[in-house]
Amino acid sequence: MLCGLSSSTSMFDVLRLARRNRAPRANADCFPTLMQVTREFEATDPRDRVYALLGMNERWKSSFPVDYSKAVDQILKDVVQFAISEDRNLRILEGNRNSHAQNSPTWLPAHRRFFFAGRPWVDEGLYRSSGNLSPETPRFNDDGSVMVIRGVIVGMISNALGPFRSTVAMQPVEKHEYWWNTFRSIELYRNGISTDRHETFWRTLLLDQINEPFPGKVISPAPKEFGSVAEILFADTPTSTDHSEEPPQYEHMKNFVSNLGSSTIHRCFFDTGTGYMGMGPFHTKPGDLVATFIGGSFCFVLRPKGQYYELIGDTYVHNAMNGELVNLDERENIINVQDFNLC
């Protein structure tokens, strides 16, 4: 039984997506989307939510029969394999993980308490980190606890700023102090890198896009005028002392700050030893590895654990979101591809 709607998700969202999936041409990523929008729903049995969502589509229901003799973890493992093969994407692996269930694989689509709500990626269609390659069927070890997936290394994280937190519940004084310290840390980092990296820095912070509330569309790349806003905010560039009218950058500054707040919430900025910058999940830290998996829209942050990797969460990496790192040789083989054993 499903119950307990969150403030940001209603049954209307679920019904709207379910209706789309009754159409002959179902939305390719809809099952992972349903899993995400119902993440805050409570269920008497965690298996109930999985089977309820699968029951909204006849094809899914026939391909994934109800079987309550299976343990929760086994069903979730089956869901991951089913979603990747059925939907031909890696949406089921995405998310900004807070933690994971003890003794369970980090790649499972876990209960809501293991994810930060944060702002979701607004328009996934903007990104395709693995280019036009379709996901490969993942492999598993004998007991199903380790998933083997192929990908390409982006780099190891050298520095991380954050995590940036939500200020909604903060008191005014606390909120002011938080933003002062946040902007100060951003300013110190920015002023410590070469000037030819400044543009990459601010574009990374904003995911190189601007979200317009009306009519609710996403524009990418972000306008070049945001560069002057970044100068004002992070480099103490003098502004006009004439307050008789608003400075020409006012609208851009308002949009910049608004997008900065929404794109960084519950996330960390990072750079890698290979020169990339990105916005990673909440628990990103130096020493983590960034990789793009074959068939993925986003890159992923992984934490080395012996011969395995823990899945920390999805990430935006500037200049690596349109297949730039996934190259083929003359025989159409992927260059520098390797196996990642996710535990």
Side-chain angles (χ1 to χ4, degrees), residues 97-108 110 113-115 305 310-312 343:
R97 286 163 166 74
N98 178 6
S99 61
H100 61 86
Q102 194 172 14
N103 301 321
S104 293
T106 58
W107 45 267
L108 290 185
R113 69 180 180 275
F114 299 121
F115 287 83
K305 187 178 182 181
E310 294 180 331
L311 178 59
I312 306 302
C343 63

Side-chain angles (χ1 to χ4, degrees), residues 225-275:
E225 290 81 3
F226 276 6
S228 60
V229 175
E231 286 288 326
I232 293 172
L233 292 177
F234 306 139
D236 296 325
T237 299
T239 57
S240 173
T241 57
D242 180 5
H243 301 292
S244 60
E245 60 179 7
E246 294 172 338
Q249 301 98 339
Y250 175 75
E251 282 299 320
H252 291 306
M253 182 172 291
K254 183 173 66 173
N255 290 333
F256 184 101
V257 173
S258 174
N259 280 270
L260 179 67
S262 61
S263 63
T264 58
I265 185 171
H266 295 316
R267 297 225 167 233
C268 289
F269 167 86
F270 66 81
D271 63 23
T272 70
T274 49

